[in-house]
């Protein structure tokens, strides 16, 4: 991957902050930290005065400062001192929506507590916190709004929204209990997020850090506990890609995904590198890379990831939902692409109580006519519960071509316990191993509608009674090399489908197999011959 050059903006930004003359305390503009006085106007006066003086810091001292929507301006940093809390009002009338849009489930959203729109050189820093009071806000909201939760939640405010800004620094603060998404960075550039703590849960849709069509981004050493996706990349507009992004040193816990890309996916995701992260106690996927609304997802590298008690460690999806989220400026697109992605050095303990029953490790699927291309999984180890039956091994997985891209969309059962791949081209699976807590009669690997599959240096755990260790269905070209199988099965490789051909095996350790290869009657003679 091309080496990213992201931080040329930082020296100028830091120098600008150093030279700024105005450090203004919000209490000098009438703000009271008693937790009950509404301080929206007082805080905004302090920000506006700081901006008019050329920039500087707006100081929030110790106390609980209740507020509705406040707007950051050019060259202003909001500095929250120790024990300072910017406390979100629980009255929806106190919030503004300065950039309305529709999110992936079709809900109109965009209200927020702290907002910046078309601003330059802004910051949020300090040892204090921003608390949206999400659970209390919801409790008050539902007293008068009797619609279903899936229809009304969009009125509740995000905690932090950064819209079309250039030069954004967020450092040291704690973000808590948003009414909806916790932090959303839309079509912005030169973003530096470091040492941020997020504890945001209790209501639906509490995403942690959301990068939406933003570029030249660094996220480092953050600790996120979120009710929804912890770290999520979106492109709700086709106008600007998520591009040139580096992430490292994150701890991620979520009721949804740890690392997710593409729930809304109109513009590309490219040149993104994520490394050295720990994902734990996550309910709906460890790593999920998706493009379903026309985006090109390419040149992404994720490495050195550990996972503990994660439901379904990985999902990769190219689909054709083709939604539009900003209907006044975008139109429906054609199916996108998913190519040149590398996932390496991953150790995962999959949760036994998962949304797939029995659990599976890795799901990979395009749609007919649109292949996930050149995906490499290397140095992967996953601990699984096992327990799959012979019937489970023949489960038919729905195509769900235009559906919301989620693990449960393809469940509740997957016919392989290790890797299930469909509509793939150039898939490379290198140095992959699994452990099983109980016997599993499903194959370790199933590939359906594949081209140029490579399997190298696998270690397959002890199982007995399975029909096959690997099943290939309509696979045109596969190399299976140096696979070591500890258990016994009817066949090492079972080949099915009229399109199967050019399957090659070399240097595999499979002493417990009754047969090296078994193919059904519809397999063409040349495919069978290639296996001998």
């Amino acid at each position: 991957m091309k080496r990213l050059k992201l931080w040329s903006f930082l020296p100028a930004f830091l120098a600008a902050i150093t030279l700024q003359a105005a450090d203004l305390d919000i209490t000098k503009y009438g703000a009271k930290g008693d937790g009950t006085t509404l301080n929206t106007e007082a805080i905004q006066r302090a920000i506006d005065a700081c901006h008019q003086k050329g920039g500087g810091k707006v100081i929030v001292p110790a106390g609980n400062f209740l507020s509705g929507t406040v707007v950051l301006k050019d060259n202003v940093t909001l500095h929250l001192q120790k024990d300072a809390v910017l406390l979100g009002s629980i009255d929806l009338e106190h919030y503004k929506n300065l950039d309305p849009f529709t999110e992936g489930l079709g809900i109109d959203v965009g209200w927020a507590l702290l907002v910046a729109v078309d601003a330059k050189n802004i910051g949020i820093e300090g040892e204090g916190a921003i608390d949206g009071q999400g659970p209390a806000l919801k409790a008050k909201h539902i007293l008068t709004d009797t619609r279903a939760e899936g229809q009304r939640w969009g009125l509740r405010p995000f905690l932090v929204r950064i819209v079309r800004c250039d030069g954004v620094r967020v450092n040291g603060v704690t973000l808590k209990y948003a009414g909806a998404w916790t932090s959303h960075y839309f079509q912005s550039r030169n973003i530096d997020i470091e040492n941020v703590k997020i504890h945001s849960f209790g209501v639906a849709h509490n995403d942690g850090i959301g990068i939406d069509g933003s570029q030249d981004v660094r996220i480092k050493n953050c600790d996120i506990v979120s009710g929804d996706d912890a770290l999520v990349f979106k492109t709700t507009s086709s106008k600007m890609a998520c591009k040139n992004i580096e992430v490292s040193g994150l701890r991620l816990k979520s009721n949804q995904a740890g690392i997710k890309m593409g729930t809304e996916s109109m513009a590309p995701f490219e040149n993104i590198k994520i490394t050295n992260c720990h994902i734990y106690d996550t309910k709906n996927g460890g790593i999920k890379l998706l493009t379903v609304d026309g985006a090109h997802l390419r040149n992404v590298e994720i490495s050195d990831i550990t996972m503990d008690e994660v439901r379904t460690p990985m999902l990769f999806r190219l689909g054709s939902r083709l939604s539009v989220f900003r209907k006044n400026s975008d139109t429906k697109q054609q199916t996108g692409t998913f190519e040149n992605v590398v996932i390496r050095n991953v150790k995962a303990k999959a949760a036994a109580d998962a949304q797939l029953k029995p659990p599976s490790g890795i799901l990979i699927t395009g749609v007919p006519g649109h292949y996930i291309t050149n995906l490499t999984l290397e140095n992967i180890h996953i601990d699984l519960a096992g327990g799959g039956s012979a019937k489970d091994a023949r489960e038919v997985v729905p195509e769900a071509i235009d559906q919301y891209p989620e693990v449960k969309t393809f469940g509740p059962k997957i016919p392989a316990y290790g890797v299930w791949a469909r509509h793939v081209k150039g898939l490379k699976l290198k140095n992959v191993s699994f452990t099983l807590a109980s016997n599993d009669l499903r194959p370790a690997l199933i590939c359906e509608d594949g081209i140029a599959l490579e399997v190298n240096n696998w270690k397959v755990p002890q199982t007995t009674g399975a029909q096959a260790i690997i099943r290939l269905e309509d696979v045109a070209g596969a190399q299976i090399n140096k696979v070591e199988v500890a258990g016994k099965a009817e066949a090492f490789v079972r080949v099915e489908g009229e399109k199967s051909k050019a399957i090659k095996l070399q240097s595999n350790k499979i002493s417990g197999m009754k047969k090296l290869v078994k193919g059904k009657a519809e397999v063409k003679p040349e495919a069978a011959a290639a296996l001998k």
Side-chain angles (χ1 to χ4, degrees):
M1 183 182 296
K2 182 179 179 182
R3 186 174 179 84
L4 304 181
K5 298 180 180 179
L6 304 183
W7 315 122
S8 59
F9 79 97
L10 279 174
F13 176 52
L14 295 174
I17 291 177
T18 302
L19 294 173
Q20 289 163 354
D23 286 355
L24 306 180
D25 189 317
I26 62 171
T27 60
K28 304 301 182 182
Y29 291 81
K32 296 181 179 180
D34 56 14
T36 58
T37 301
L38 187 66
N39 295 291
T40 310
E41 293 183 2
I43 296 170
Q44 194 63 60
R45 284 196 298 269
I47 291 171
D48 292 347
C50 186
H51 168 65
Q52 290 165 7
K53 291 175 182 292
K57 293 182 180 181
V58 170
I59 307 298
V60 182
N64 295 312
F65 293 89
L66 189 71
S67 181
T69 299
V70 291
V71 183
L72 279 178
K73 303 291 182 67
D74 288 0
N75 303 314
V76 174
T77 292
L78 188 70
H79 182 90
L80 296 125
Q81 293 183 341
K82 186 178 180 181
D83 298 323
V85 180
L86 178 62
L87 193 65
S89 169
I90 62 171
D91 189 338
L92 293 179
E93 297 299 321
H94 295 155
Y95 294 95
K96 299 176 182 178
N97 190 343
L98 302 184
D99 180 63
F101 71 103
T102 304
E103 56 77 69
L105 294 172
I107 304 300
D108 293 334
V109 294
W111 290 264
L113 173 57
L114 182 61
V115 186
V117 180
D118 298 315
K120 295 182 179 179
N121 298 334
I122 59 172
I124 306 167
E125 67 175 23
E127 298 179 67
I130 303 175
D131 185 344
Q133 300 196 91
L137 184 120
K138 176 183 175 180
K140 183 175 181 179
H141 180 200
I142 64 178
L143 291 176
T144 56
D145 190 338
T146 59
R147 294 177 297 165
E149 178 64 11
Q151 296 174 320
R152 67 186 170 207
W153 76 267
L155 292 174
R156 296 200 286 270
F158 297 5
L159 201 64
V160 174
R161 279 204 74 199
I162 306 298
V163 179
R164 297 185 301 274
C165 295
D166 192 344
V168 180
R169 181 175 177 269
V170 183
N171 189 286
V173 295
T174 297
L175 306 179
K176 303 194 295 185
Y177 306 115
W181 298 357
T182 306
S183 59
H184 180 223
Y185 301 83
F186 175 66
Q187 288 189 349
S188 296
R189 299 177 187 273
N190 301 317
I191 301 169
D192 187 17
I193 304 168
E194 188 168 358
N195 297 322
V196 171
K197 293 182 180 180
I198 293 177
H199 293 271
S200 193
F201 46 87
V203 301
H205 310 288
N206 282 152
D207 294 57
I209 296 176
I211 305 299
D212 184 353
S214 290
Q215 300 182 2
D216 302 325
V217 179
R218 185 184 72 156
I219 305 171
K220 185 176 180 182
N221 297 338
C222 297
D223 194 326
I224 302 174
V225 179
S226 64
D228 211 313
D229 303 320
L231 173 65
V232 58
F233 302 88
K234 307 168 180 280
T235 49
T236 59
S237 165
S238 68
K239 304 298 190 281
M240 188 167 168
C242 269
K243 184 176 181 180
N244 298 342
I245 298 170
E246 292 185 349
V247 178
S248 64
L250 271 57
R251 284 176 48 81
L252 306 166
K253 177 181 177 180
S254 170
N255 286 336
Q256 292 296 323
I259 298 169
K260 189 176 184 182
M261 198 173 294
T263 308
E264 295 96 344
S265 45
M266 296 198 72
F269 302 88
E270 53 192 0
N271 300 340
I272 298 173
K273 185 175 182 179
I274 302 171
T275 188
N276 190 30
C277 295
H278 179 60
I279 304 170
Y280 65 103
D281 295 344
T282 292
K283 302 295 194 298
N284 202 9
I287 298 170
K288 297 197 288 191
L289 305 186
L290 324 163
T291 171
V292 296
D293 302 309
H296 302 292
L297 193 158
R298 56 200 173 198
N299 301 333
V300 173
E301 181 180 325
I302 301 177
S303 64
D304 300 296
I305 307 295
T306 58
M307 304 185 200
D308 287 312
E309 292 300 320
V310 171
R311 292 181 176 180
T312 311
M314 299 186 215
L315 168 65
F316 306 99
R317 171 62 164 170
L318 168 61
S320 301
R321 181 182 61 180
L322 306 180
S323 292
V324 177
F325 309 102
R326 294 172 183 265
K327 295 178 174 58
N328 294 328
S329 60
D330 267 321
T331 58
K332 185 176 180 179
Q333 301 191 133
Q334 299 295 312
T335 302
T337 60
F338 186 125
E339 59 187 355
N340 301 331
V341 171
V342 176
I343 314 293
R344 62 164 57 95
N345 303 336
V346 176
K347 292 183 178 180
K349 178 176 175 53
D353 181 13
Q355 67 277 63
L356 300 174
K357 298 184 182 298
S360 293
I362 302 172
L363 282 61
I364 307 166
T365 179
V367 294
H370 298 276
Y371 290 97
I372 289 180
T373 303
N374 295 336
L375 169 63
T376 298
L377 305 181
E378 184 174 5
N379 299 335
I380 310 294
H381 178 79
I382 302 177
D383 294 337
L384 290 156
S389 67
K391 181 180 178 182
D392 296 335
R394 287 295 173 178
E395 191 73 23
V396 176
V397 180
E399 290 283 0
I401 293 171
D402 60 353
Q403 299 300 301
Y404 187 85
E406 197 49 88
V407 172
K408 66 181 182 181
T409 303
F410 305 102
K413 295 179 183 293
I414 299 296
Y417 70 77
V419 178
W420 172 78
R422 180 174 64 186
H423 310 310
V424 293
K425 182 178 182 181
L427 175 62
K428 297 176 178 64
L429 304 170
K430 303 178 180 180
N431 193 22
V432 176
S433 62
F434 302 96
T435 60
L436 293 169
S438 61
N439 194 45
D440 203 308
L441 298 182
R442 297 173 295 170
L445 166 65
I446 293 176
C447 183
E448 306 172 20
D449 183 23
I451 299 173
L453 169 69
E454 294 183 22
V455 178
N456 289 286
N457 291 300
W458 275 44
K459 290 186 178 180
V460 179
Q462 176 81 35
T463 58
T464 58
Q467 190 179 56
I469 301 300
I470 295 173
R471 190 166 78 230
L472 307 178
E473 303 177 19
D474 290 316
V475 173
Q479 296 185 21
I480 301 173
N481 303 323
K482 297 181 180 179
V483 175
E484 184 176 338
V485 181
K488 299 178 180 180
E490 182 180 332
F492 172 45
V493 177
R494 185 179 178 93
V495 182
E496 302 177 1
E498 294 182 355
K499 297 179 182 178
S500 291
K501 62 180 180 179
I503 314 298
K504 298 180 180 180
L505 283 68
Q506 184 176 351
S507 303
N508 299 293
K509 295 182 180 179
I510 49 174
S511 58
M513 301 302 105
K514 294 181 180 179
K515 292 185 178 180
L516 176 63
V517 175
K518 186 169 183 179
K520 293 183 69 176
E522 66 265 25
V523 175
K524 294 182 178 180
E526 59 266 29
L531 294 165
K532 295 180 179 179

